[in-house]
Amino acid sequence: MHVNVYWIIAVILLLASLAGMVILFRRRHSRWGSDIPENEENPDAVPFPVDPRDPGEFPVWGRVDVMVDGKRISTQRIHLATTIVGRDPGRAQIVIPELIVSKQHCVLFEKDGKLWIRDVDSTNGVFRDGESVEEGEVQHGAVYSLGRRGSVKLVFYTDPPLDS
């Protein structure tokens, strides 16, 4: 039986591309490995909030844990300043470098003395308990998913603001 050289080249290229995809998949899923201690904030997190005024001017509401595939990648303080959550470090104060997260995915803001969340026309949406959320008040312990798949979650621990 005679094997064509082109078939051998095609099989080699196919195997090489599959190996490359496996390597990329493993890198993507190991990015948030166990290198972040369980109870410590991520020191590489973007300073919060990005605002021309001193962050100390804003009362603190609490914190939000950013979870990716069940692992906490950062913890951010929540201030009364309007805060954008997204993938683009040039536009968002809470940066989540995951493809399912839009460049500007959602915004946290104060309304009537309470903390609120609003989807800002993100591609994959904001969900709570499987239900799409356009805008809603954030309660203590609330868990919001960025995208229906639920691999990226925001867990809120809120308190009334403390005046300085």
Side-chain angles (χ1 to χ4, degrees):
M1 177 162 72
H2 179 7
V3 178
N4 191 341
V5 173
Y6 294 110
W7 282 107
I8 294 173
I9 292 173
V11 169
I12 291 172
L13 289 175
L14 177 66
L15 291 174
S17 65
L18 287 174
M21 289 189 324
V22 167
I23 290 169
L24 288 175
F25 179 80
R26 285 190 177 168
R27 280 188 185 165
R28 186 201 178 300
H29 286 285
S30 66
R31 177 175 38 183
W32 306 116
S34 60
D35 56 337
I36 299 175
E38 185 61 30
N39 291 318
E40 293 183 17
E41 290 186 9
N42 182 355
D44 298 327
V46 173
F48 186 97
V50 176
D51 191 284
R53 296 171 284 180
D54 178 18
E57 292 182 26
F58 299 103
V60 176
W61 278 89
R63 65 184 168 90
V64 59
D65 286 345
V66 178
M67 311 288 287
V68 175
D69 293 327
K71 296 178 185 172
R72 183 165 48 90
I73 63 165
S74 74
T75 299
Q76 301 287 333
R77 291 176 296 158
I78 303 170
H79 292 269
L80 281 180
T82 299
T83 303
I84 297 171
V85 178
R87 189 178 73 238
D88 185 354
R91 299 179 186 178
Q93 289 79 47
I94 298 178
V95 178
I96 306 171
E98 292 291 318
L99 292 177
I100 198 162
V101 178
S102 296
K103 290 180 181 179
Q104 293 183 50
H105 201 98
C106 61
V107 63
L108 304 174
F109 62 99
E110 182 268 337
K111 178 178 169 184
D112 299 325
K114 298 181 181 174
L115 183 66
W116 285 66
I117 188 170
R118 177 185 306 137
D119 185 353
V120 287
D121 296 326
S122 63
T123 302
N124 294 305
V126 176
F127 296 86
R128 179 160 187 214
D129 299 326
E131 298 291 323
S132 179
V133 174
E134 294 297 320
E135 181 175 300
E137 182 183 340
V138 176
Q139 302 291 327
H140 178 78
V143 178
Y144 289 87
S145 298
L146 304 184
R148 187 175 298 278
R149 195 176 108 215
S151 62
V152 178
K153 295 184 186 301
L154 301 175
V155 182
F156 290 91
Y157 301 95
T158 61
D159 295 312
L162 302 172
D163 294 322
S164 355

